[in-house]
Amino acid sequence: MAITGCGGQGGDAARPSDSSGLWDRTFVSADDAGRQLVPGTRVRLTFTPGTVAAEAGCNHLTGRLAVEGDRLVVTDVGGTMMACSPERMNQDTWLTTFLQQRPRWELDADTLVLTTGDDRLRLVDVRSAEPDRPLAGTRWSLESLVEGESASSVPRGADVRLTFGDGRVEGSTTCTDFDGAASVGQGTISVSRLTTRARKCAAELEALDEKVRGRLSGEISFRIRGDKLALTRADGRGMELRAAP
């Protein structure tokens, strides 16, 4: 991530006359020198018309977005309520504050620079920084459950994971190990004939088990961006997962 004091601007980046280059793109913090993030974290911003989704290492944040010339106007920021380390939660707070300071934006191909009065944040398109992981053979770990437009964090102690390959899916909900058939189409996965091996869990983890297995049957849409996998059912229920290290 590059966050530096806002001195001379420099560089050849040009401010576009409209915001069309932002939409439906995800940018992650660059790896060059500057403010150090908490180890193992990156800033991630996803732009769609009217909305920005953000991550800084803990919660999934969303806010309303308007573009006024060379300014991003972000309001009504909210998100999940995951319990993280104080360092990660402080980083969330910092990013929320930064985005709500009406940062100037400059987009040059795959590089996005956001600038406030005090800070400068340089990001790159995720497809340049983090090529899409393959669906098959990647170990995917659950980060949040999706219900329509809202997302909720997983309980502490949960270890939900999925692996696809050779027409199969296998994994664990923490309480249940499972495997079954998985037919991959164009942007869809059809899961069937799951066999399960359950074990006793705490009530909170058993509730999670039921929700995960309820989302992992029939036809599911999938989308991969960088190291993130989104699984979504037709009824709006889904899961957000990240490739495990």
Side-chain angles (χ1 to χ4, degrees), residues 3-223:
I3 264 203
T4 59
C6 182
Q9 289 296 306
D12 297 324
R15 260 175 223 138
S17 58
D18 65 70
S19 55
S20 60
L22 289 174
W23 305 139
D24 300 316
R25 296 179 73 180
T26 297
F27 297 84
V28 295
S29 49
D31 292 330
D32 47 354
R35 169 177 174 149
Q36 294 300 306
L37 290 177
V38 175
T41 67
R42 298 185 86 166
V43 170
R44 179 183 296 259
L45 301 178
T46 299
F47 298 93
T48 54
T51 304
V52 59
E55 298 175 38
C58 184
N59 286 288
H60 300 275
L61 308 170
T62 58
R64 293 184 180 180
L65 172 66
V67 180
E68 297 182 358
D70 64 352
R71 297 277 186 171
L72 299 183
V73 182
V74 179
T75 57
D76 298 332
V77 177
T80 57
M81 298 294 290
M82 290 188 282
C84 301
S85 68
E87 294 81 8
R88 290 184 177 230
M89 295 185 76
N90 288 341
Q91 200 159 268
D92 275 6
T93 300
W94 164 78
L95 181 60
T96 300
T97 301
F98 178 81
L99 291 175
Q100 292 184 118
Q101 290 177 333
R102 297 173 57 95
R104 295 182 184 275
W105 66 285
E106 296 179 353
L107 180 64
D108 182 9
D110 287 343
T111 300
L112 174 66
V113 178
L114 303 181
T115 309
T116 67
D118 300 319
D119 292 323
R120 181 172 179 268
L121 171 60
R122 180 176 178 270
L123 308 101
V124 293
D125 190 290
V126 69
R127 299 195 180 199
S128 298
E130 300 175 357
D132 291 350
R133 301 290 182 88
L135 176 67
T138 301
R139 184 174 180 269
W140 300 101
S141 294
L142 180 67
E143 290 199 324
S144 60
L145 295 172
V146 175
E147 193 83 35
E149 295 298 317
S150 63
S152 60
S153 59
V154 298
R156 188 180 296 275
D159 180 21
V160 180
R161 57 188 184 277
L162 307 175
T163 304
F164 297 92
D166 298 325
R168 308 288 296 175
V169 59
E170 62 180 23
S172 174
T173 69
T174 308
C175 299
T176 303
D177 296 332
F178 59 84
D179 62 80
S183 175
V184 180
Q186 187 65 37
T188 63
I189 307 168
S190 294
V191 177
S192 61
R193 302 192 300 277
L194 280 184
T195 60
T196 61
R197 297 168 296 282
R199 51 185 169 271
K200 188 67 175 176
C201 281
E204 191 175 28
L205 294 177
E206 288 185 348
L208 174 65
D209 171 272
E210 183 178 352
K211 291 176 181 178
V212 170
R213 289 191 290 119
R215 286 162 166 77
L216 200 62
S217 63
E219 185 170 285
I220 308 163
S221 298
F222 78 92
R223 185 188 72 239

